[in-house]
Amino acid sequence: MFYWFMKYLVAGPILKSIFRPWVIGAENIPEHGGAIIASNHLSFIDSVILPLCVDRRISFLAKSEYFRGKGFGGWATKTFMLGTGQLPIDRSGGKASEASLNTGLAVLGGGHLLGIYPEGTRSPDGTMYRGRTGVARMVLEAGVPIVPVAMIDTEKVMPIGTKLPRIRRIGIVIGKPLDFSRFEGMEGDRFILRSVTDELMVELRKLSGQDYRDVYATSVKERAAPA
């Protein structure tokens, strides 16, 4: 209830009037059943704008730090994240990664839409980076279609490191669902997982028009961080 209240009565109307998002391919979102919405990731605002422009609810897996803040600011952030359909996950690896997988599978098993960023983190420079295979494992285990989505110009609205967005239009391009049912039961094969992930990234590059680097975005961020 709170999600729909925020979407249609509070945040949704305000944000849509400010950023005037345009959408191509909305008909490619399945009307019923579980599906993964796999998007490029250019800005924090991606997880806000995309759900506002899709009729069905999308739940994104968001890092748990967003839900742990203290004071009024921490409460406001947590409330906003929950109101826009974010689910807290621990990204520390190991058992935490397995728990994240199970959270995503539960969403899909309930017949809902799950939003995932295959790159694993926001692009530091607008380039598209190598996809992580967790998305492939999830789609094969859940047996659901995966819909590629390209966010356009969100990095210009809210670049990394900024707290207040700039006012300009945002675009969303939604591709046709990808079916990987031919790999059913092969989620334990790392070569299959890489093949599925790479095929998805090719589709995302076609939709977004971004340049591509075959390295992980996290590696680029780590090398750029001050010693």
Side-chain angles (χ1 to χ4, degrees), residues 66-80:
Y66 288 135
F67 301 82
R68 296 175 180 169
K70 298 180 180 180
F72 177 79
W75 172 84
T77 299
K78 178 181 178 180
T79 300
F80 181 80

Side-chain angles (χ1 to χ4, degrees), residues 49 153 176:
I49 295 298
D153 289 338
K176 295 184 180 299

Side-chain angles (χ1 to χ4, degrees), residues 41-163:
H41 198 13
L42 298 170
S43 169
F44 169 82
I45 206 170
D46 295 336
S47 301
V48 178
I49 295 298
L50 180 54
L52 292 180
C53 297
V54 173
D55 290 337
R56 294 181 63 188
R57 174 171 180 160
I58 303 177
S59 296
F60 277 91
L61 302 181
K63 58 184 180 180
S64 57
E65 288 87 344
Y66 288 135
F67 301 82
R68 296 175 180 169
K70 298 180 180 180
F72 177 79
W75 172 84
T77 299
K78 178 181 178 180
T79 300
F80 181 80
M81 297 298 284
L82 292 173
T84 52
Q86 316 299 305
L87 300 174
I89 61 168
D90 188 338
R91 297 184 178 181
S92 58
K95 292 183 178 180
S97 296
E98 194 68 24
S100 300
L101 174 68
N102 292 335
T103 298
L105 290 175
V107 172
L108 296 170
H112 306 297
L113 300 180
L114 178 69
I116 293 180
Y117 298 116
E119 292 166 276
T121 187
R122 283 174 287 174
S123 170
D125 54 14
T127 298
M128 181 173 289
Y129 288 89
R130 195 178 200 211
R132 294 189 174 275
T133 58
V135 63
R137 181 181 172 190
M138 195 172 292
V139 74
L140 295 185
E141 287 202 17
V144 297
I146 184 166
V147 182
V149 173
M151 303 300 296
I152 308 296
D153 289 338
T154 53
E155 81 283 10
K156 298 175 182 177
V157 169
M158 198 168 183
I160 291 178
T162 60
K163 294 184 177 181

